[in-house]
Amino acid sequence: MNGVAMEHGLVLAAVLFALGLGGLMFRRNMIFVLMSLEVMLNAAGLAFIVAGTGWEQPEGQVMFLLVITLAAAEASVGLALLIQLYHRFKTLNLDVASRMRG
Amino acid sequence: MELAFYLGGLTAVLATLGVIANPNPVHAVLYLVVSLLAVAMVFFALGAPFAGTLEIIVYAGAIMVLFVFVVMMLNLGQAAAEQEREWLKARTWLGPSLLAAVLFLTLVSLLWRGDGQSVITGGGLTAKGAGTLLYGPWLLLVELGALLLLAALVTASHVGRLSPVAAPSPAPRDMPTNRKGKGATQPSADVEGQPQPADTDTPKEDS
């Protein structure tokens, strides 16, 4: 068989997404939470690319461009929040910031 | 091409495992760079060279350099790695991972039971097709993406400024309103400033 079955690419995207979800759920350090979010966004972009190339449509790459834009915006805002968290609490543990105080 | 796809996928999965199970933030960032490069290799193998190039430039280049820069700036050191190693005990993450694995296995079984007719042969989808589509029917989304980046720029520069907390004396803002309140709150803020730096905010913002 010449070529990759489309399900294999989707399964790879699902594996990466599940790994990112697991990291998001069991890490408490904010750097790792942000990196897990990047992994999950990357997996979503991979799913778009796989579907787009599987159906021979360039819309998948358009959606991947938008996903990359979203990831860049999310990373900048998230890292700004991380710096603010570190300067207020001197730690990166998200449990100390679980309550908003107005 | 199939070999590149499967090797790239395997490398991506292993490097992502290295990201989420690593106590050291710098090592995790390097693993994440490797993972993104492997995903870019998968893109090249699938016949999407434009997306693979963007993945390398934007993700593995720009965003990861941002992460490395922030980790360098915070200067976490060995204590944070020890703390992370303490949190990485198996009983902490076993339950959520098992629950996520149930959902993941359901998704995989649903994907494997598909008809399996569609095969990706790696025919090239070039940047020209994506570009003409991007500036044709999807032009509004390009505008929305530009607005999103502008909003992220403004938000990051607003949130990331360090003036209210990093400056230790709130005197110039509090002085014209009530001079007596400043004298009352300032020594208490100095006393409990070191163990709980969070609580020094509340008297400042109330006054």
Side-chain angles (χ1 to χ4, degrees):
Chain A
M1 184 180 73
N2 192 10
V4 178
M6 194 170 150
E7 281 80 12
H8 294 181
L10 290 181
V11 164
L12 175 62
V15 167
L16 288 179
F17 194 88
L19 282 177
L21 185 62
L24 181 70
M25 282 161 64
F26 76 77
R27 298 308 288 268
R28 291 271 71 82
N29 196 324
M30 194 171 172
I31 287 182
F32 289 94
V33 168
L34 285 178
M35 279 196 283
S36 301
L37 278 177
E38 294 292 326
V39 166
M40 288 165 74
L41 278 174
N42 192 30
L46 175 64
F48 274 123
I49 290 291
V50 166
T53 51
W55 290 323
E56 298 285 335
Q57 297 290 325
E59 265 97 353
Q61 303 199 20
V62 173
M63 287 302 150
F64 178 72
L65 268 174
L66 295 172
V67 167
I68 259 188
T69 308
L70 184 67
E74 177 261 336
S76 62
V77 176
L79 287 173
L81 282 173
L82 184 145
I83 290 173
Q84 201 72 350
L85 178 80
Y86 187 74
H87 275 269
R88 278 176 194 256
F89 296 104
K90 299 298 174 202
T91 180
L92 287 180
N93 190 357
L94 276 179
D95 287 336
V96 304
S98 63
R99 286 178 53 202
M100 298 180 75
R101 302 188 186 185
Chain B
M1 183 207 109
E2 297 93 353
L3 186 67
F5 174 80
Y6 288 113
L7 276 182
L10 186 64
T11 311
V13 170
L14 290 181
T16 309
L17 268 178
V19 171
I20 66 172
N22 205 318
N24 198 332
V26 183
H27 297 174
V29 167
L30 292 180
Y31 271 120
L32 189 51
V33 170
V34 174
S35 166
L36 295 175
L37 288 180
V39 173
M41 184 170 149
V42 167
F43 286 169
F44 281 117
L46 286 179
F50 180 53
T53 313
L54 273 182
E55 173 97 10
I56 291 177
I57 292 174
V58 178
Y59 251 119
I63 298 180
M64 283 306 115
V65 162
L66 206 62
F67 269 88
V68 171
F69 197 68
V70 167
V71 169
M72 279 169 54
M73 200 176 80
L74 292 185
N75 196 9
L76 292 171
Q78 195 63 33
E82 291 297 326
Q83 197 180 15
E84 278 294 304
R85 194 168 286 122
E86 183 67 27
W87 289 331
L88 270 178
K89 297 285 173 55
R91 58 174 171 79
T92 309
W93 55 268
L94 204 54
S97 296
L98 280 180
L99 290 180
V102 171
L103 293 178
F104 167 64
L105 286 180
T106 310
L107 180 61
V108 168
S109 68
L110 281 181
L111 277 177
W112 277 109
R113 280 194 307 170
D115 48 358
Q117 297 295 320
S118 177
V119 167
I120 305 171
T121 57
L125 287 177
T126 59
K128 188 181 175 186
T132 53
L133 206 60
L134 196 61
Y135 285 94
W138 295 98
L139 185 59
L140 194 62
L141 276 186
V142 176
E143 302 281 345
L144 282 178
L147 273 182
L148 177 68
L149 283 178
L150 177 66
L153 172 69
V154 173
T155 309
S157 64
H158 176 73
V159 170
R161 79 195 143 83
L162 298 172
S163 53
V165 179
S169 68
R173 202 179 61 187
D174 287 348
M175 196 170 308
T177 56
N178 50 351
R179 190 179 297 265
K180 202 184 326 183
K182 169 189 171 285
T185 58
Q186 188 63 30
S188 67
D190 277 346
V191 164
E192 62 186 10
Q194 276 308 108
Q196 289 176 348
D199 289 341
T200 62
D201 281 347
T202 41
K204 267 189 300 183
E205 292 180 355
D206 283 344
S207 64

